[in-house]
Amino acid sequence: MSEKQSIMDIDTVSLDESDHSIVIIDQTLLPYETKTIHLTSQKQIWDAIYTLQVRGAPAIGVTAGFGMYLAAREIAEKADSFDDFYTAFKKAEDYLDSSRPTAVNLSWALKQMDKVALANRDKSLPEVVEALHQESVRIQEEDIRACHKLGEYGLTLVKPGDGLLTHCNAGKLAATRYGMATAPMYLGQEKGYGFHVYCDETRPVLQGARLTARELMDSGIDTTVICDNMVSSLMKEGKIQAVFVGCDRVAANGDTANKIGTSGVAIIAKHYGVPMYIMAPTSTIDMNTKTGDEIHIEQRNPDEVTEMWYKRRMAPEGVKVYNPAFDVTDHELITAIVTEFGIARAPYTESLKQMMERKAEAGRQQ
Ligand code: MRU
């Protein structure tokens, strides 16, 4: 695939029924090379999540759903009974769950698949596998619908010509189609809003510079990359009217884990009176986690900080490196949490509960 091909024309994650594989865009190669790869074994899927070939909370969830379907196909061929099947299925589930800790979408998708397996335990194994197939597709479709709704709600919070800031990549490459933080940007673009979007480069893995900038530019949006330490300068100049970011886990009180640096952006935004919006599909809201203190923050390889993007190492050999992949933005710093069921505002313990009730109600009506 050529460098010129629009990233918007390729699915971030999809299921290839012909060779029973998951097809992903290898995001470690972006922005230079746009290449899709096929994952078949559980080890390949685990590695792809761990090494960030596929990343972003919703995309990880969708990959996990497809991964469990593929695991179920293989396991069912050798199993004699449901119990036999389920023991191996559960093992595969625990294995995938160990690939990354912070994004709740991973364990959420695995739990969904587990529920479906158990709900079909009285059926034949091929029927169980088919039910899991359908559930994995449904998880992806739900993500696409949720992203579009987030965009519609998000668009009501801004006006044509606004300057918008985003951190990390909570775009199409982190999900499917519209993305989360980018959803109002893409919908606005379709309506001729003429936004100016600033992307934090997002050290140390540069998801903002490499991924968000690439997808926004491919969509024809006016895009500017800034270093992470330039946010306050831009806000002081009045260039940013709103911040839209994604999230990896939202606690019941509204505390939100997202890419490292997000909480700093929120503190600066509060100082300059710029609204800070978290774009959160309900699959990312974890009502079992009471506050941000309970969120497990992934620590990553020190080389990401000292060597990854440099011709020569940029820190003395042997120096200690602190490299958390996420931080928690306190709920007091968040103007609103936008979900596919509406816009939640403080007090979040109440409003998020209401969003989850709307979701349960929508599920009952289906
Ligand atoms: O380490 P990553 O690239 O998986 O981190 C991604 C983020 O922090 C995103 O902002 C988050 O997953 C939200 S994506 C809708």
Side-chain angles (χ1 to χ4, degrees):
M1 260 166 257
S2 86
E3 188 183 324
K4 301 245 157 36
Q5 180 173 19
S6 169
I7 205 88
M8 306 310 278
D9 296 336
I10 313 166
D11 282 336
T12 305
V13 184
S14 62
L15 186 65
D16 187 339
E17 310 268 3
S18 67
D19 67 352
H20 306 293
S21 68
I22 303 172
V23 188
I24 58 165
I25 300 172
D26 181 350
Q27 300 193 33
T28 59
L29 303 177
L30 290 171
Y32 315 108
E33 199 183 338
T34 308
K35 185 177 164 196
T36 52
I37 54 172
H38 290 239
L39 313 171
T40 47
S41 72
Q42 293 302 296
K43 169 92 173 79
Q44 280 174 331
I45 299 167
W46 192 97
D47 284 347
I49 296 174
Y50 180 74
T51 62
L52 311 183
Q53 284 177 306
V54 58
R55 32 67 51 206
I60 295 172
V62 171
T63 306
F66 288 148
M68 288 314 296
Y69 159 57
L70 296 185
R73 281 189 80 249
E74 261 181 49
I75 295 166
E77 274 172 25
K78 295 179 207 134
D80 296 327
S81 63
F82 181 84
D83 287 349
D84 229 21
F85 167 86
Y86 187 68
T87 307
F89 184 81
K90 192 84 190 137
K91 213 166 137 198
E93 189 181 314
D94 292 344
Y95 176 60
L96 272 190
D97 202 19
S98 69
S99 55
R100 289 193 82 188
T102 306
V104 70
N105 304 59
L106 176 61
S107 52
W108 172 84
L110 294 173
K111 272 186 210 132
Q112 293 288 116
M113 296 298 281
D114 191 84
K115 264 192 232 160
V116 168
L118 289 175
N120 287 278
R121 64 183 312 150
D122 295 333
K123 303 209 174 120
S124 71
L125 288 181
E127 285 172 314
V128 175
V129 172
E130 184 44 33
L132 288 164
H133 175 212
Q134 283 173 22
E135 180 63 11
S136 67
V137 172
R138 196 197 62 76
I139 289 173
Q140 183 172 43
E141 285 170 355
E142 187 177 314
D143 182 50
I144 295 169
R145 269 196 305 275
C147 287
H148 196 271
K149 283 309 263 185
L150 292 187
E152 287 173 4
Y153 285 119
L155 203 56
T156 65
L157 301 168
V158 286
K159 52 182 194 331
D162 274 355
L164 308 176
L165 177 75
T166 188
H167 187 77
C168 192
N169 175 266
K172 171 236 158 70
L173 287 164
T176 32
R177 311 280 159 84
Y178 287 85
M180 270 93 209
T182 51
M185 299 166 191
Y186 291 136
L187 286 191
Q189 171 78 353
E190 284 168 15
K191 293 178 197 294
Y193 269 48
F195 292 132
H196 306 280
V197 180
Y198 295 86
C199 310
D200 286 348
E201 62 176 353
T202 317
R203 285 270 297 151
V205 183
L206 304 184
Q207 289 94 331
R210 294 187 304 112
L211 309 178
T212 311
R214 168 76 196 270
E215 57 166 275
L216 291 174
M217 285 182 78
D218 280 7
S219 309
I221 291 178
D222 179 80
T223 308
T224 304
V225 169
I226 60 166
C227 298
D228 299 338
N229 53 3
M230 296 170 185
V231 171
S232 65
S233 156
L234 263 187
M235 286 192 182
K236 191 170 186 163
E237 288 173 26
K239 294 218 166 93
I240 310 286
Q241 279 66 54
V243 181
F244 285 105
V245 293
C247 50
D248 288 82
R249 193 181 292 250
V250 179
N253 72 341
D255 290 349
T256 294
N258 191 47
K259 180 54 54 190
I260 189 74
T262 305
S263 76
V265 172
I267 291 165
I268 298 169
K270 181 141 191 151
H271 180 79
Y272 287 109
V274 175
M276 176 83 192
Y277 298 120
I278 306 292
M279 304 302 277
T282 47
S283 56
T284 313
I285 299 172
D286 181 5
M287 298 302 275
N288 295 321
T289 294
K290 287 197 190 66
T291 74
D293 292 343
E294 293 175 23
I295 300 176
H296 179 180
I297 301 292
E298 175 184 11
Q299 297 288 328
R300 291 189 62 86
N301 191 334
D303 292 356
E304 287 180 352
V305 176
T306 54
E307 307 193 19
M308 195 170 191
W309 307 108
Y310 303 117
K311 273 200 182 131
R312 292 173 60 192
R313 188 184 163 88
M314 275 299 144
E317 282 296 343
V319 73
K320 285 187 274 184
V321 173
Y322 176 56
N323 186 18
F326 303 96
D327 61 21
V328 174
T329 300
D330 299 330
H331 61 272
E332 295 90 346
L333 299 170
I334 296 169
T335 311
I337 299 175
V338 180
T339 79
E340 72 273 34
F341 293 101
I343 300 176
R345 293 186 188 265
Y348 292 109
T349 30
E350 295 310 311
S351 57
L352 290 179
K353 213 185 281 167
Q354 202 182 11
M355 296 303 145
M356 297 314 265
E357 279 162 13
R358 286 185 197 168
K359 179 182 189 164
E361 181 54 35
R364 280 191 290 274
Q365 283 174 12
Q366 269 172 11

